[in-house]
Amino acid sequence: GAVVSQHPSWVICKSGTSVKIECRSLDFQATTMFWYRQFPKQSLMLMATSNEGSKATYEQGVEKDKFLINHASLTLSTLTVTSAHPEDSSFYICSARVAGGPERETQYFGPGTRLLVL
Amino acid sequence: GIQVEQSPPDLILQEGANSTLRCNFSDSVNNLQWFHQNPWGQLINLFYIPSGTKQNGRLSATTVATERYSLLYISSSQTTDSGVYFCAVRFSGGYNKLIFGAGTRLAVHP
């Protein structure tokens, strides 16, 4: 099946620093990638949708200047948490949608990145 | 508004037991996926099933789109089945995102 990787898997940083998370589709091309956030014991909440070569679409309540998303190629999207604060500590998960094929609407998820801001 | 509801919220089973998880959705969908989130947080695709029935080993799923529900069956449960099961849907009508239910937290004891 399709594989999505994320890097890093764990980040611990000081308040005020910026953190970049990479998401790659390893064996398929993804015209659309998604970024989710999950707090403990809760479900996944969509933060933004990114299409290759265009600006990301952010969900209501998500600050676009704080969570910078770049989808530079069909296999790579990055999320940068700028000036991170303790309340940004969470589990960030990326997802990629398969382009074409019999199950083209299927989304595959990366292993997630745990961010802890001290 | 558009909603995805899962039941039960929590489920405790003895190893070897069978179970049925339910997902209700409020409008027509063009994508429905079932996932298993393991204890390390990885979401594992179980089924892409906007309609019909599929089976994969001990797991099977059925979606009755006209009645707006989907069921996930787990037979002969094992301790490795423990984790959270999510149903996620993409509603028809121009939506471009998967909306997740709250999940069913399953614990299988030996």
Side-chain angles (χ1 to χ4, degrees):
Chain A
V3 179
V4 178
S5 71
Q6 265 183 259
H7 178 80
S9 55
W10 269 98
V11 182
I12 301 175
C13 69
K14 292 182 178 180
S15 185
T17 59
S18 294
V19 175
K20 179 186 279 190
I21 303 170
E22 288 189 353
C23 175
R24 294 181 186 273
S25 56
L26 295 187
D27 51 0
F28 67 100
Q29 292 185 331
T31 53
T32 305
M33 288 186 170
F34 306 85
W35 287 95
Y36 293 80
R37 182 166 53 183
Q38 185 181 33
F39 293 106
K41 307 280 189 194
Q42 295 187 23
S43 187
L44 281 74
M45 296 300 295
L46 180 66
M47 298 175 66
T49 301
S50 74
N51 291 295
E52 185 261 337
S54 62
K55 289 184 179 180
T57 302
Y58 290 82
E59 294 299 300
Q60 193 170 11
V62 178
E63 300 175 57
K64 64 178 72 173
D65 294 331
K66 180 165 191 62
F67 299 100
L68 301 179
I69 292 172
N70 183 278
H71 192 160
S73 76
L74 287 172
T75 59
L76 173 64
S77 177
T78 60
L79 168 68
T80 302
V81 184
T82 61
S83 187
H85 288 96
E87 58 266 29
D88 299 323
S89 299
S90 188
F91 188 48
Y92 292 86
I93 311 172
C94 75
S95 173
R97 188 158 70 203
V98 176
E103 293 188 349
R104 62 186 181 277
E105 304 296 341
T106 304
Q107 279 185 226
Y108 293 88
F109 285 75
T113 297
R114 296 193 185 277
L115 171 64
L116 177 61
V117 185
L118 303 176
Chain B
I2 54 176
Q3 290 182 344
V4 183
E5 296 180 344
Q6 291 186 244
S7 60
D10 296 280
L11 188 56
I12 301 174
L13 298 175
Q14 207 69 29
E15 200 168 26
N18 302 328
S19 63
T20 301
L21 283 58
R22 187 177 180 103
C23 173
N24 291 335
F25 42 94
S26 57
D27 208 338
S28 58
V29 300
N30 54 31
N31 179 1
L32 188 147
Q33 291 182 242
W34 281 98
F35 299 93
H36 174 213
Q37 188 170 39
N38 66 22
W40 295 271
Q42 172 75 62
L43 276 166
I44 300 165
N45 280 51
L46 298 178
F47 295 103
Y48 166 80
I49 189 163
S51 64
T53 297
K54 289 185 178 179
Q55 179 157 8
N56 184 3
R58 295 182 297 104
L59 302 181
S60 64
T62 295
T63 297
V64 183
T66 53
E67 297 187 23
R68 298 182 183 166
Y69 72 88
S70 183
L71 302 174
L72 177 69
Y73 307 96
I74 305 174
S75 64
S76 304
S77 58
Q78 300 175 359
T79 56
T80 52
D81 294 332
S82 298
V84 183
Y85 289 81
F86 287 106
C87 163
V89 308
R90 193 172 92 168
F91 289 98
S92 305
Y95 292 95
N96 190 34
K97 55 190 179 183
L98 276 182
I99 296 175
F100 279 73
T104 292
R105 190 170 299 272
L106 173 64
V108 181
H109 296 306

